[in-house]
Amino acid sequence: MDGSPARPLVLADRGCPFAHRVFALLAHLGVEVDCREVPAGQQPDGLVELSPSGRVPLLVHGAVVIGESRVMLEHLAEVYGFESSYPRDLDRRTLHRHAMAVMDGIVAPRLFRADAAADARLSECLDAFEHLALEPPEPCLLTFHLAPLWLRFQWWRPEGAVTQAIRARRTLAAWLDGAAALAAVARTAPDAGANTADFQRMAAASKASFRTA
Ligand SMILES: N[C@@H](CCC(=O)N[C@@H](CS)C(=O)NCC(=O)O)C(=O)O
């Protein structure tokens, strides 16, 4: 790379919450992005060469080809010098990273499938989010990471245990609503109705990939 990185290419399902994270960050940074629509579960020409599992979203940026949205955020934040990506204080930075890992490892999979073991840990998971929800939500990797998932829980699982448990925590729910209302998140969010219609297709693709994982 010569100091002017190539424009990022994101292969993604238009409604995917994980891809939404990346589009929100890039919108906030004012970075133009090329998008290629790849419905979850499909493997159009050229995808398998880049991603042997065929999973999306996928970021192609110069020599980097990666398929984990959390790592995409980190990569793009460094490339484009996102100053407020993480708090300066090490302890708070670690807590942001921890909350992001909890979201991806335990909470987000519940969009697609029930998990009794995760139910038992839900309160502990939400504590990890709520501890960070004391100040107003600002554009940072944590807010771009959590907000798209909070929107999908409300749209796709309005009566689900995660959605209900978050709503019962007023401070956390207000903070997540504020994160979802950040300009870059709102501007890159799909239409709620259309996205909910896409959910069945994404859930089916997700089940298929969990089965074969
Ligand atoms: N941990 C991944 C999750 C990616 C993911 O689950 N993608 C959804 C689409 S919203 C899916 O079902 N992918 C199935 C597939 O690509 O086969 C990330 O953060 O990027």
Side-chain angles (χ1 to χ4, degrees):
M1 232 174 252
D2 63 356
S4 52
R7 186 189 286 210
L9 166 67
V10 177
L11 291 82
D13 192 305
R14 63 176 175 255
C16 172
F18 307 100
H20 184 186
R21 292 171 169 170
V22 178
F23 294 133
L25 171 65
L26 291 172
H28 177 72
L29 296 174
V31 173
E32 291 194 32
V33 56
D34 290 323
C35 306
R36 187 170 154 206
E37 171 72 20
V38 176
Q42 293 188 19
Q43 303 202 343
D45 286 351
L47 177 63
V48 176
E49 285 72 28
L50 293 170
S51 164
S53 68
R55 292 200 79 192
V56 287
L58 194 72
L59 170 72
V60 182
H61 197 209
V64 166
V65 181
I66 47 169
E68 274 301 325
S69 60
R70 184 168 146 219
V71 185
M72 295 176 204
L73 293 187
E74 303 247 357
H75 171 81
L76 293 166
E78 285 202 33
V79 169
Y80 294 106
F82 182 24
E83 294 274 325
S84 49
S85 57
Y86 283 113
R88 300 181 84 82
D89 175 77
L90 173 60
D91 290 358
R92 282 193 74 74
R93 199 156 66 239
T94 299
L95 292 175
H96 278 216
R97 290 197 168 107
H98 176 249
M100 292 161 82
V102 165
M103 172 55 91
D104 281 356
I106 303 166
V107 180
R110 299 185 41 146
L111 274 174
F112 300 110
R113 67 183 193 284
D115 182 344
D119 275 346
R121 292 193 62 190
L122 190 53
S123 173
E124 177 190 338
C125 294
L126 299 189
D127 286 348
F129 303 158
E130 196 161 27
H131 287 151
L132 301 170
L134 301 175
E135 291 146 20
E138 299 287 346
C140 67
L141 295 193
L142 179 72
T143 48
F144 295 140
H145 189 92
L146 297 184
L149 275 295
W150 172 228
L151 288 173
R152 291 344 182 266
F153 272 106
Q154 294 174 95
W155 295 341
W156 299 353
R157 301 280 187 206
E159 306 306 326
V162 172
T163 314
Q164 295 299 318
I166 290 175
R167 287 211 178 109
R169 295 179 180 229
R170 297 264 178 100
T171 305
L172 176 59
W175 188 88
L176 287 167
D177 286 342
L182 290 171
V185 177
R187 196 155 16 108
T188 50
D191 170 77
N195 188 252
T196 302
D198 284 340
F199 167 57
Q200 297 302 338
R201 180 176 48 71
M202 274 185 270
S206 188
K207 275 188 206 125
S209 64
F210 280 120
R211 257 202 311 276
T212 55

